[in-house]
Amino acid sequence: DRKVPEIIVKVNPRNPYPQISILPDTTVFWHSDSTFLFNLDDYIFDESTSPQDIEWSVTYDNDSIGVSINDVHQVFVSSFNIIGPVSIIFTAENDVGYLSSDTVTINIIQDEPPEWESLLYITMSRLLLQDTLSYRLSDRCDDDLTSSGNLIFRVETDTTILKIVIDSLTNVFLELQDTSFVDTTITFTFSAEDEHYNISTSNIVIL
């Protein structure tokens, strides 16, 4: 019997390279931790390999950012002490070893500190030992990165004279501790803290 030779036919796809649609540029805040950018599966087409089987890699030349790609090809970026544009190169490799790349520009911007509105003077006396401010602190302080309700509010005061409590809704309760003061003005300080700043404002109580 004659032995029939084995013939192996390798069929390459018409377009063997992964096709990456344009990855979106984006803006993130400095000192942000694991900000979600996009899912790479939404931006890839390949004739030989399904999106979930594409191998992705990432390169960048700046130590002040970190970029990670998880198992389902979601991209996260962390930024440190840097402001301005940073280029990130994403490379896709399919099952037959062909590669394509696309470059994304991440613009890292610095957020603004919390901004206080003017607070009203408060009048208390031995006839009015307890009082509640007519507004919440969250209504008098704005922040571009953190919602007012998620800012951390604190107060500094001489507790031997005036006790001040801020509840979870940022209502402010005052209780006069020393009634010996007459025609006296005392000052206490509210502070609002977001991820990067701690900004204070002073308020006055007239006794």
Side-chain angles (χ1 to χ4, degrees):
D1 293 341
R2 295 184 60 185
K3 191 172 184 180
V4 178
E6 182 180 357
I7 299 175
I8 299 175
V9 178
K10 183 178 181 181
V11 179
N12 286 326
R14 181 180 302 176
N15 185 350
Y17 293 92
Q19 300 172 54
I20 305 174
S21 59
I22 298 175
L23 296 174
D25 296 336
T26 190
T27 297
V28 300
F29 288 104
W30 71 323
H31 291 278
S32 59
D33 185 25
S34 294
T35 300
F36 173 72
L37 297 186
F38 43 73
N39 191 316
L40 291 167
D41 288 353
D42 297 333
Y43 298 92
I44 190 73
F45 172 76
D46 190 87
E47 295 183 16
S48 66
T49 308
S50 61
Q52 62 266 26
D53 293 327
I54 293 288
E55 292 290 333
W56 287 94
S57 59
V58 59
T59 55
Y60 48 92
D61 58 2
N62 196 306
D63 293 336
S64 293
I65 66 168
V67 183
S68 62
I69 304 172
N70 66 16
D71 292 340
V72 293
H73 298 159
Q74 294 175 324
V75 178
F76 297 87
V77 63
S78 298
S79 64
F80 310 109
N81 193 24
I82 183 175
I83 298 172
V86 176
S87 295
I88 303 172
I89 301 173
F90 291 91
T91 299
E93 181 177 357
N94 61 19
D95 285 344
V96 290
Y98 287 88
L99 295 86
S100 296
S101 297
D102 190 38
T103 300
V104 169
T105 299
I106 304 297
N107 188 32
I108 302 173
I109 62 173
Q110 183 174 352
D111 61 314
E112 298 296 326
E115 183 176 357
W116 283 96
E117 297 180 17
S118 297
L119 302 181
L120 303 177
Y121 290 171
I122 304 165
T123 300
M124 299 186 71
S125 72
R126 67 186 65 187
L127 302 178
L128 182 63
L129 298 180
Q130 296 179 333
D131 198 4
T132 302
L133 296 190
S134 60
Y135 52 82
R136 296 176 178 177
L137 293 182
S138 57
D139 295 331
R140 294 300 180 100
C141 190
D142 292 319
D143 188 80
D144 62 346
L145 179 60
T146 306
S147 65
S148 295
N150 291 325
L151 292 171
I152 300 173
F153 291 98
R154 296 185 176 89
V155 62
E156 293 182 8
T157 182
D158 185 343
T159 55
T160 63
I161 302 174
L162 183 65
K163 180 181 178 182
I164 301 177
V165 176
I166 305 171
D167 71 7
S168 60
L169 298 177
T170 72
N171 294 301
V172 179
F173 305 95
L174 304 96
E175 183 176 351
L176 188 62
Q177 304 293 302
D178 190 335
T179 59
S180 64
F181 290 90
V182 179
D183 297 329
T184 303
T185 298
I186 63 172
T187 301
F188 61 91
T189 302
F190 289 122
S191 64
E193 181 180 347
D194 65 9
E195 293 185 26
H196 308 135
Y197 299 96
N198 190 326
I199 303 300
S200 300
T201 186
S202 295
N203 204 2
I204 291 177
V205 176
I206 301 174
L207 303 177

